[in-house]
Amino acid sequence: QGIKVLLVQFFKEDRVSSGEKIFFAGSPDIEVLRSNRRHPVFTGKNTDPAGVKRSVMETFERAKETAMEGSIGLLVLDEIMSAINGAWIGADDIIEFLDKRPDGLEVVLTGRNAPVELIKAADYVTEMLKIKHPFDNGIAARKGIEY
């Protein structure tokens, strides 16, 4: 619809291909920004907690700067709830940004277990509930299905 979009993917690396990255590369109106750190659920004991926090905060700062320029109409913060629930960013940081965002900027926050204060601040809240997933049985993400 001619709206510029910034899709921010937390816990995804630029060097790793994914279906959404390939799909959105064909659109001049959609920019993808990745935090370049995998989530600790995938890195386990090899996780650098300080590095994860730094990547989340730096990525969020870049997203805020782009949003505050006023050139985008939709900002998607993909898996921001994982960043909040992992204590790599505070819900208050997100709420402060939402309160100061440019007029007309729509913001989508994705992920599970949103804090109550974000739910109260939201215009829309949708919950998708995982009942069963192949990952639960040790099946890795599959090309074309999960990425």
Side-chain angles (χ1 to χ4, degrees):
Q1 299 296 331
I3 297 171
K4 297 276 186 190
V5 177
L6 176 60
L7 169 61
V8 181
Q9 294 183 305
F10 292 93
F11 309 110
K12 295 230 175 152
E13 298 171 298
D14 276 335
R15 66 181 178 80
V16 177
S17 181
S18 69
E20 65 264 30
K21 185 177 174 184
I22 294 167
F23 180 80
F24 292 136
S27 174
D29 291 330
I30 301 173
E31 178 184 349
V32 178
L33 171 64
R34 289 180 157 187
S35 67
N36 284 309
R37 286 281 179 155
R38 295 185 71 205
H39 193 281
V41 75
F42 300 110
T43 57
K45 62 183 175 185
N46 296 324
T47 300
D48 170 16
V52 173
K53 183 174 180 76
R54 187 171 44 258
S55 77
V56 166
M57 294 304 295
E58 288 173 358
T59 303
F60 182 61
E61 287 302 316
R62 288 196 322 258
K64 284 193 318 185
E65 288 170 10
T66 301
M68 297 309 281
E69 291 171 0
S71 62
I72 61 171
L74 175 62
L75 172 63
V76 179
L77 299 175
D78 187 36
E79 290 300 342
I80 192 69
M81 296 308 159
S82 293
I84 292 167
N85 293 323
W88 296 297
I89 192 167
D92 53 333
D93 296 318
I94 308 302
I95 292 170
E96 179 182 346
F97 163 70
L98 293 173
D99 289 342
K100 294 179 180 178
R101 71 180 182 234
D103 290 339
L105 175 64
E106 295 287 333
V107 181
V108 176
L109 310 173
T110 77
R112 296 187 193 120
N113 304 314
V116 172
E117 60 267 34
L118 276 175
I119 291 172
K120 287 180 179 179
D123 293 324
Y124 299 89
V125 176
T126 301
E127 181 177 55
M128 292 179 63
L129 179 63
K130 177 194 73 107
I131 305 297
K132 185 177 180 182
H133 194 285
F135 185 78
D136 299 335
N137 293 319
I139 298 173
R142 298 159 294 164
K143 186 174 183 176
I145 306 300
E146 285 88 13
Y147 70 95

